[in-house]
Amino acid sequence: MAGNGNSAFVYSDAFTRYKFTEDHPFNPKRLEMTLDLIRTLDLLDPGQIVTPRPATFEELARVHDPRYLEAVIAASAADADPDDFARWGLGTEDTPIFTGMHDATSLIAGGTLVAAELVMSGAARHALNMAGGLHHARRAEASGFCVYNDIAVAIAYLRETYGARVAYIDTDAHHGDGVQWIFYEDPDVLTLSLHETGKYLYPGTGEIVERGEGRGYGYSLNVPLEAFTEDDSWMNAMRSVVIPTLQKFAPDIIIHQNGCDAHHYDPLTHLSATTRIYREMPQVTRMLAEELCDGRLVAVGGGGYDIWRVVPRAWTMLWAELNGDPLPERVPDAWLSRWQSESPDPLPAHFIDPPGSFEPIPRRAIIEEKNEITVRRVLNGTPLLF
Amino acid sequence: MLVEQIMTRDVVTLAPDNTLQEALDISRRHRLRHLPVVKDGFLVGLISDRDLRAAAPSSLDQAGDNSILCDVRVEQLMVNEVITAHPLDFAEDAASQIYKHFIGCLPVVSQNKLVGIVTERDVLRTLVEMMGVNAPTSRIEVEVPDKSGMLAQISDLLRARRINTSAVMVFPGGKEGYKTIVFRIRTMDPRGFIQDIEAAGYRVKMHPCAVTDGEV
Ligand SMILES: [Zn+2]
């Protein structure tokens, strides 16, 4: 039974056309699997589904260089040569070109725009676009599997149309660099990214000292955590930084990017979280939205490269939280039996990974200590708080 | 990279007959720590904000007499023997001069005229760019035997995967007979590259993918 019915689920099967190659880690099958899990649990009323529209050229051009948009359009043709697009970050191993790329990525950007529109206009209290969260895309460059920055497009819309103060929370394991750089000088957009340190991990940025520039100084926050960070340390860091800064910033709307690649199983990162954080993090942002901005919360997806064991559970928990639905402890057998044959690994039977699912990290104490120091340094250096 | 590519061309300068008060105002207004002193385009000296502050009366001294700042001219306080750089010097030579002489800047002089200035900050910015930190990258350290051709072998692996490299640094290895190559590569998914390196018989050191849990 779907919860309060006042949350919107922005979705189209066409979202799955955002697909680079068969063996690329960014696999849209995770969307199908998640939707199937949500439906199996009966958490989605058909009336809650909102169909996205593609973002227009003008809407995209609020944050992207028109020459880059033209390049993406040209690269989307069936006979495009990847070598022609290297200067735009396209045609690489990370972001290969594919036919229909512009349409697919415009639809995702439009989906996040629609989600922002629904929430800001009051038509919905919360809205989710699982396909969104393409936080690495830059003004004139594709990066890290992201072509258009749907989040930045939505924030620019909220700024221009409503003059809204936007708090952007990014809990993907990778630094939310694209969104940060686009609003680096804007004091009305607070960007806050919690991630694995860029010492080894892409994109290498997200240091504490990146705090914004000019009038935007103090309105970019970064919490780079150590490799092998586990649940408690991650959640402590998130609560300690997000709660006081949002309370002080007093946003009109919160956008939360919910990449779920900080999990122990994720093949691209080196954090050691369990699914527990994917239940607790949306609770924190939803609570803050209730407290600070009449509940206005837009949630988007993001990274998540164990598409079998992690993403469907994480984003089902996210939707249940937005929708105010209780969740059973166990993943339904019907869903498990439908997908198990395709999965290379046994699918977990519980939403929350049971205690003892993973070996404790040998250097836990020193990792936690380092993270606590990082949090202190972030808070001490944030002018917003004083 | 050459000094002319990293220097500031639009230099704020003083004249020898400016007063110390004028110099102090200019250094504060432009937030500059070093001001070259120029006469007819020729560099004749250099003055730092530290020298100016040292000459000024203490702000704690209420009765402080400011008149000295208005009476003394820049040429009386400036350093005459200035260490300079040439536009065609290498950026790393400029860095080495600044480091060796404990100084904060190098005026750049060509045909006896001041044409630019390189500060510690310019050098650091250049270093940061040379290390590839300003582009989105993953960082991987590889240990290879200290013999010729190693860099080429690993680069071939990158080429085969169409991965672009943002920076490469080669350091002496910690172990006798080895060196370390640091790559900053423009991919979010370095797994294939790491496998290729290991399959080719080299060791990836200092990467969480290549170590036991929690051991970095
Ligand atoms: Zn990610």
Side-chain angles (χ1 to χ4, degrees):
Chain A
M1 181 62 218
N4 58 33
N6 203 8
S7 298
F9 188 93
V10 181
Y11 193 80
S12 157
D13 290 337
F15 278 161
T16 58
R17 290 188 204 144
Y18 190 79
K19 182 171 180 175
F20 297 103
T21 56
E22 278 312 315
D23 53 0
H24 193 284
F26 196 95
N27 186 343
K29 184 182 272 290
R30 59 197 192 140
L31 301 178
E32 281 175 67
M33 295 174 67
T34 306
L35 182 60
D36 186 44
L37 181 52
I38 288 171
R39 285 194 162 134
T40 306
L41 289 161
D42 199 14
L43 299 178
L44 183 62
D45 193 294
Q48 292 180 289
I49 300 177
V50 176
T51 311
R53 61 172 178 84
T56 64
F57 192 94
E58 289 69 31
E59 286 167 333
L60 296 167
R62 283 196 186 113
V63 301
H64 289 295
D65 187 328
R67 290 166 304 173
Y68 172 62
L69 299 174
E70 298 288 359
V72 176
I73 292 167
S76 304
D79 58 352
D81 177 352
D83 288 339
D84 294 344
F85 301 98
R87 67 171 284 215
W88 306 106
L90 294 164
T92 58
E93 181 173 90
D94 268 21
T95 324
I97 61 172
F98 60 96
T99 308
M101 179 169 63
H102 169 75
D103 291 339
T105 179
S106 303
L107 190 69
I108 291 177
T112 305
L113 261 177
V114 166
E117 212 170 324
L118 287 165
V119 169
M120 201 63 205
S121 67
R125 197 164 176 80
H126 313 309
L128 169 66
N129 176 14
M130 295 192 295
L134 306 175
H135 62 164
H136 293 305
R138 294 154 78 98
R139 203 174 281 286
E141 199 177 11
S143 171
F145 316 161
C146 305
V147 179
Y148 293 153
N149 196 314
D150 62 299
I151 303 159
V153 169
I155 294 175
Y157 158 80
L158 289 166
R159 294 286 312 126
E160 189 165 314
T161 311
Y162 293 94
R165 281 165 70 75
V166 183
Y168 171 64
I169 312 299
D170 187 318
T171 52
D172 192 281
H174 298 90
H175 176 220
D177 59 335
V179 184
Q180 170 178 297
W181 300 131
I182 289 171
F183 299 103
Y184 207 51
E185 294 177 39
D186 190 340
D188 292 309
V189 179
L190 177 77
T191 63
L192 197 164
S193 179
L194 198 78
H195 45 261
E196 176 184 331
T197 152
K199 276 180 202 162
Y200 305 99
L201 190 67
Y202 195 88
T205 46
E207 282 302 309
I208 295 177
V209 293
E210 292 162 29
R211 293 187 189 273
E213 226 160 72
R215 297 204 324 115
Y217 182 79
Y219 295 91
S220 296
L221 278 93
N222 285 292
V223 191
L225 300 171
E226 290 302 297
F228 307 109
T229 292
E230 297 164 285
D231 291 354
D232 289 341
S233 188
W234 176 277
M235 285 309 304
N236 281 340
M238 192 223 175
R239 289 198 177 94
S240 311
V241 177
V242 172
I243 295 174
T245 42
L246 259 68
Q247 284 172 337
K248 203 75 182 200
F249 180 73
D252 296 311
I253 184 168
I254 299 173
I255 300 184
H256 184 183
Q257 196 269 20
N258 294 270
C260 51
D261 43 8
H263 193 277
H264 190 91
Y265 284 144
D266 196 275
L268 292 196
T269 71
H270 322 103
L271 295 166
S272 299
T274 76
T275 48
R276 210 187 91 204
I277 69 168
Y278 299 116
R279 161 159 275 186
E280 294 183 9
M281 288 197 291
Q283 284 171 352
V284 174
T285 42
R286 187 177 156 208
M287 182 268 290
L288 285 166
E290 302 297 344
E291 180 188 327
L292 303 173
C293 46
D294 287 330
R296 285 188 287 267
L297 174 62
V298 171
V300 291
Y305 305 99
D306 192 318
I307 67 163
W308 310 99
R309 295 175 296 182
V310 179
V311 187
R313 290 186 296 154
W315 289 351
T316 297
M317 291 194 285
L318 169 63
W319 172 246
E321 177 59 31
L322 293 175
N323 210 28
D325 283 315
L327 262 187
E329 263 179 52
R330 293 183 65 89
V331 177
D333 288 336
W335 184 86
L336 292 172
S337 56
R338 253 196 311 282
W339 295 98
Q340 183 58 73
S341 60
E342 281 188 60
S343 168
D345 302 293
L347 293 172
H350 295 83
F351 277 97
I352 303 293
D353 297 318
S357 297
F358 308 105
E359 290 285 308
I361 296 300
R363 279 158 59 90
R364 177 184 290 171
I366 192 165
I367 290 168
E368 289 182 350
E369 179 197 47
K370 179 71 190 346
N371 288 341
E372 283 164 20
I373 293 170
T374 298
V375 166
R376 260 201 315 277
R377 287 179 55 205
V378 172
L379 292 174
N380 285 339
T382 298
L384 186 66
L385 295 176
F386 301 103
Chain B
M1 194 132 19
L2 300 176
V3 160
E4 63 181 3
Q5 292 168 275
I6 69 165
M7 69 186 189
T8 303
R9 287 164 193 276
D10 210 359
V11 191
V12 178
T13 59
L14 298 171
D17 55 0
N18 278 133
T19 64
L20 295 191
Q21 186 61 54
E22 288 167 333
L24 204 55
D25 292 345
I26 290 170
S27 96
R28 284 198 181 130
R29 186 166 354 118
H30 296 278
R31 296 185 179 195
L32 292 168
R33 315 242 317 257
H34 305 277
L35 293 164
V37 185
V38 172
K39 193 175 183 196
D40 303 327
F42 296 101
L43 180 74
V44 295
L46 183 74
I47 204 160
S48 75
D49 68 333
R50 209 160 28 152
D51 300 335
L52 289 167
R53 275 187 278 113
S58 163
S59 60
L60 298 173
D61 178 6
Q62 294 291 324
D65 179 8
N66 267 315
S67 63
I68 187 153
L69 287 177
C70 301
D71 293 340
V72 178
R73 278 169 299 122
V74 158
E75 64 186 341
Q76 293 170 264
L77 189 70
M78 71 188 188
V79 177
N80 297 301
E81 297 291 311
V82 187
I83 302 167
T84 62
H86 188 270
L88 299 185
D89 287 343
F90 280 120
E92 53 265 43
D93 292 332
S96 143
Q97 293 286 326
I98 287 177
Y99 176 72
K100 262 196 278 190
H101 297 287
F102 298 95
I103 53 180
C105 81
L106 288 170
V108 184
V109 171
S110 173
Q111 296 181 334
N112 293 324
K113 299 250 178 176
L114 181 76
V115 294
I117 190 165
V118 175
T119 65
E120 275 172 311
R121 235 186 116 66
D122 297 324
V123 167
L124 271 178
R125 189 193 60 234
T126 307
L127 203 62
V128 165
E129 281 168 16
M130 284 164 100
M131 292 189 295
V133 181
N134 61 338
T137 49
S138 301
R139 186 181 193 278
I140 291 162
E141 283 187 21
V142 187
E143 184 181 74
V144 296
D146 188 6
K147 59 179 196 192
S148 65
M150 289 294 106
L151 185 57
Q153 292 227 357
I154 311 249
S155 303
D156 280 345
L157 304 176
L158 283 166
R159 184 173 51 200
R161 289 192 172 266
R162 296 181 73 88
I163 298 176
N164 205 345
T165 306
S166 184
V168 182
M169 290 174 280
V170 184
F171 295 114
K175 267 195 312 202
E176 183 79 15
Y178 286 85
K179 62 188 170 194
T180 298
I181 311 180
V182 180
F183 289 92
R184 294 202 80 112
I185 57 171
R186 305 202 63 172
T187 177
M188 195 149 100
D189 184 5
R191 287 175 298 168
F193 176 49
I194 289 172
Q195 276 166 18
D196 294 347
I197 294 170
E198 286 169 348
Y202 306 112
R203 189 169 80 89
V204 174
K205 69 179 215 186
M206 299 295 283
H207 192 282
C209 275
V211 297
T212 9
D213 282 358
E215 291 298 320
V216 158

